[in-house]
Amino acid sequence: MLRRLWSRREWILVVLGGLVLAVALTWPTLRDPRHTVPGDIGDPALFAWQIAWAGHALVHHPLHLWDSNTFYPDPHSLAFTDAVIGYAPFGAIGSGMDAAVLRYNILYVLVHALAFIGAYALTRQLGAHPLGATVAGVAWAYAPWRLAHAGHLNVLSTGGIALSLAMIARGHGWSLRTGHRPERHRPRWALAGWLVAAWQVTLGLAIGLVFAYLMVALCLVAAACFGWSWWRRGRPPFGRRLLAADLAGGLCFAAATAFMGLAFARVVQLYPQADRGLGWTEMYSPAWRGLVIAPEASWLWGARHAAARSHLPWPPEMTLLPGIALIVLAVIGMFISIFRLRHRILLGLGTLGAVLLTLGATLPWHGDPGYLTLSRHLPGWAALRTPGRMTVWTTLVLAILAAGAVSEFVAGARVTAPRPAAGAGRSGLVARGRFVALRVALLIPLVLVVVEGVNRTSHPELLRYPAAMQAAQEPTLVLPSGGSLEMSIMLWSTNGFPRIPNGLVTFVPTGQERIRSVSTTFPDPASIAALRAAGIRSVVVLPEWLSGTPWEGVPGRPIDGLGISREQIDGAILYRLG
């Protein structure tokens, strides 16, 4: 009974502590959550729109989830880029741009909290002491490399990975310290773990696809061990209920993966230009030195690594430092750990494999065998154009090794300086002083990983919503079309979700390319006729963004005799095509 009460208290403290830590280490995200976003105003605007659209579609037309209001008239547009549709239930809460931005910022904080909780749960299940698990949770959730992805919610959303692995391991009664214990089988935990894993996949395939292949590999290893144990002992290592939970959960996971994968495969079928060749992978493959370089937003290392960062072709995807303290603790964990030696060796090999995949095509053998081999032979892998994101897995394994080391430190401290009995005298004071000093020293690893997680991420204010869009009849074209402004236009469209040809991804869809091309001479008879034929009923022009674009002369062009109207609204120009 006492153990159960302590366990409940521990997890309440972990959840509350994780939330407080997330607010503190992502600050000032929640200082002005309706008007600012972390990182820049590009990708956060895109993801805020994505979540809002997914929630809107979930409530109003779930069968047309993938046919968003952007990139009109091209179908299946939600799948033009990695989609975090697992957050759709959050998107159903509230409406409009302000709600979309607030929702995004809250989720940004929560994904950090979930990453901490997930890594804590995983390392605790594997046998780590609470302090070791805390160090692992902080080190994984707030690794310096994550600061380069402040705008990539799909990359930051990794908490479900560690949490699902923890739940599945608990369901199977397995840990690194005690191995397999059949008496601790919990089929419900195993099923819940598979469902969390399925949800994780719906948060994007940029991270989820690798996770899916990892789960397949783990299942194959588990099946081999299952068969070997059955053959040796003459009976299966676990019963029907647990097997049924694994099969049911595995089917849900496979269905979620197929749902996401088929959606993106459909895009390549409809738009061949969306297919990414291996040239993308080669271009974004980081040099080995990127593994020890922090992004600019790191409070501790950002300025110190500025010179090294300047030599990287694309720092946002090539500053991959998991944390100096984490690396040191993990190295110590290879030799001094609460975990068994054979498990440490396997974790070390896993780290090496993840690092080799992270380097992609920059290896002396050009990543073949390696990342490029997987790109050629595994379905969907070629779309993962940024090998550096494999550092997610490097960091997780390092965190497990670090948890083992810190747990061994705690065990050693208990032997070296046990809690002294109450009593007076010099010897009692010395014993208490030694006890306190060692306990304080044990907090040093935690302090170090927390300090390395402190950010100096910029939080710019989003572009103001043009009132002309509110007055326009949809479908509405917003000019200029192209560049990062498109992401802000997508976010603006959360006010009512009008159909717009605007949007930005790594390729130009057919319909968008056609509309952009004909609109460069707007307003003239040919462009107006073409836009009307495409279904466009309004054009909103933003004069302050036109300089240097093909639409620079639009505001000065006459409209007499063209059968359209023009109106100035709060600095923007609204053309009604009728």
Side-chain angles (χ1 to χ4, degrees):
M1 182 67 176
L2 288 175
R3 178 177 294 182
R4 183 177 301 176
L5 288 173
W6 169 250
S7 177
R8 185 176 300 173
R9 178 187 175 190
E10 176 186 353
W11 289 107
I12 291 174
L13 290 174
V14 167
V15 172
L16 293 178
L19 291 171
V20 171
L21 192 65
V23 172
L25 288 183
T26 60
W27 191 260
T29 297
L30 294 185
R31 184 170 59 190
D32 188 10
R34 290 184 181 273
H35 305 101
T36 64
V37 288
D40 56 56
I41 61 172
D43 287 312
L46 168 66
F47 284 111
W49 163 78
Q50 266 192 14
I51 298 165
W53 168 259
H56 173 79
L58 184 67
V59 173
H60 298 284
H61 37 83
L63 296 182
H64 294 278
L65 168 68
W66 297 109
D67 300 316
S68 82
N69 68 303
T70 61
F71 297 99
Y72 171 85
D74 292 296
H76 220 65
S77 53
L78 185 61
F80 285 176
T81 189
D82 207 21
V84 289
I85 63 170
Y87 292 134
F90 294 94
I93 303 172
S95 62
M97 177 178 164
D98 285 350
V101 177
L102 175 63
R103 184 189 304 120
Y104 174 86
N105 282 313
I106 291 174
L107 283 172
Y108 178 81
V109 174
L110 290 179
V111 299
H112 287 84
L114 183 59
F116 167 79
I117 294 167
Y120 182 96
L122 176 59
T123 47
R124 278 293 277 152
Q125 174 59 35
L126 296 179
H129 182 272
L131 180 58
T134 303
V135 170
V138 173
W140 196 51
Y142 302 98
W145 67 264
R146 288 180 181 265
L147 297 173
H149 295 277
H152 298 156
L153 193 66
N154 56 334
V155 176
L156 297 176
S157 298
T158 57
I161 293 174
L163 186 61
S164 64
L165 292 174
M167 298 169 83
I168 291 172
R170 182 174 179 82
H172 290 79
W174 189 84
S175 77
L176 289 178
R177 290 190 66 185
T178 61
H180 179 219
R181 298 182 65 177
E183 71 275 10
R184 293 194 172 184
H185 285 173
R186 300 290 186 274
R188 292 182 181 178
W189 277 104
L191 177 60
W194 280 109
L195 295 178
V196 171
W199 172 72
Q200 173 66 48
V201 168
T202 65
L203 298 181
L205 293 184
I207 300 298
L209 186 63
V210 179
F211 179 48
Y213 279 118
L214 175 66
M215 295 300 286
V216 170
L218 290 176
C219 285
L220 292 175
V221 172
C225 294
F226 181 93
W228 174 254
S229 179
W230 194 346
W231 180 78
R232 283 188 61 193
R233 300 181 182 182
R235 56 185 175 83
F238 50 82
R240 294 180 179 177
R241 289 185 60 206
L242 184 54
L243 181 60
D246 282 334
L247 290 175
L251 286 174
C252 291
F253 181 76
T257 305
F259 173 71
M260 296 292 289
L262 290 174
F264 293 106
R266 177 63 175 161
V267 170
V268 176
Q269 182 183 8
L270 291 172
Y271 311 93
Q273 66 269 38
D275 195 13
R276 298 170 177 175
L278 294 183
W280 286 83
T281 300
E282 295 170 351
M283 179 173 61
Y284 284 110
S285 293
W288 67 267
R289 62 181 178 273
L291 299 172
V292 290
I293 299 176
E296 183 181 2
S298 171
W299 174 79
L300 182 62
W301 302 117
R304 293 177 172 88
H305 291 180
R309 254 193 329 271
S310 66
H311 296 290
L312 299 176
W314 186 245
E317 295 288 354
M318 297 180 181
T319 47
L320 307 175
L321 178 67
I324 300 297
L326 178 60
I327 292 173
V328 171
L329 288 170
V331 171
I332 294 173
M334 285 295 299
F335 302 96
I336 303 172
S337 178
I338 203 169
F339 300 140
R340 298 176 181 180
L341 177 60
R342 65 174 180 271
H343 292 148
R344 283 180 268 153
I345 293 174
L346 290 174
L347 289 171
L349 292 174
T351 303
L352 177 61
V355 167
L356 293 177
L357 289 176
T358 298
L359 296 177
T362 59
L363 292 167
W365 53 90
H366 201 61
D368 190 11
Y371 198 93
L372 265 65
T373 310
L374 299 179
S375 297
R376 291 190 178 100
H377 299 291
L378 290 184
W381 197 287
L384 306 179
R385 57 193 171 96
T386 49
R389 295 180 183 181
M390 291 294 295
T391 199
V392 168
W393 306 99
T394 306
T395 309
L396 182 57
V397 180
L398 291 176
I400 295 171
L401 285 168
V406 174
S407 298
E408 182 62 26
F409 297 161
V410 174
R414 286 175 173 173
V415 175
T416 304
R419 181 183 295 274
R426 182 178 177 82
S427 61
L429 289 174
V430 171
R432 281 193 291 274
R434 189 176 183 183
F435 172 81
V436 172
L438 274 175
R439 266 48 184 183
V440 171
L442 288 173
L443 295 177
I444 292 176
L446 178 58
V447 172
L448 291 176
V449 295
V450 168
V451 169
E452 284 201 275
V454 176
N455 80 88
R456 57 173 190 175
T457 302
S458 61
H459 284 69
E461 188 170 345
L462 291 159
L463 299 180
R464 187 169 58 92
Y465 172 69
M469 284 189 68
Q470 183 70 36
Q473 286 185 302
E474 60 99 30
T476 303
L477 169 64
V478 181
L479 297 176
S481 177
S484 60
L485 177 64
E486 296 281 37
M487 296 182 181
S488 293
I489 297 171
M490 296 171 84
L491 177 60
W492 294 338
S493 77
T494 57
N495 287 329
F497 294 102
R499 290 171 291 172
I500 57 175
N502 301 86
L504 181 68
V505 289
T506 56
F507 70 99
V508 181
T510 308
Q512 185 184 62
E513 184 175 26
R514 183 174 61 252
I515 289 175
R516 278 182 182 171
S517 177
V518 301
S519 68
T520 56
T521 58
F522 181 84
D524 68 348
S527 63
I528 292 171
L531 290 176
R532 283 173 173 165
I536 302 299
R537 302 181 67 184
S538 304
V539 177
V540 172
V541 177
L542 308 175
E544 70 271 28
W545 291 92
L546 296 177
S547 179
T549 73
W551 300 274
E552 190 169 6
V554 168
R557 295 170 186 166
I559 63 169
D560 298 337
L562 296 176
I564 65 175
S565 65
R566 178 168 59 192
E567 180 182 359
Q568 293 270 354
I569 302 178
D570 194 21
I573 307 172
L574 170 60
Y575 294 83
R576 292 186 173 91
L577 306 188

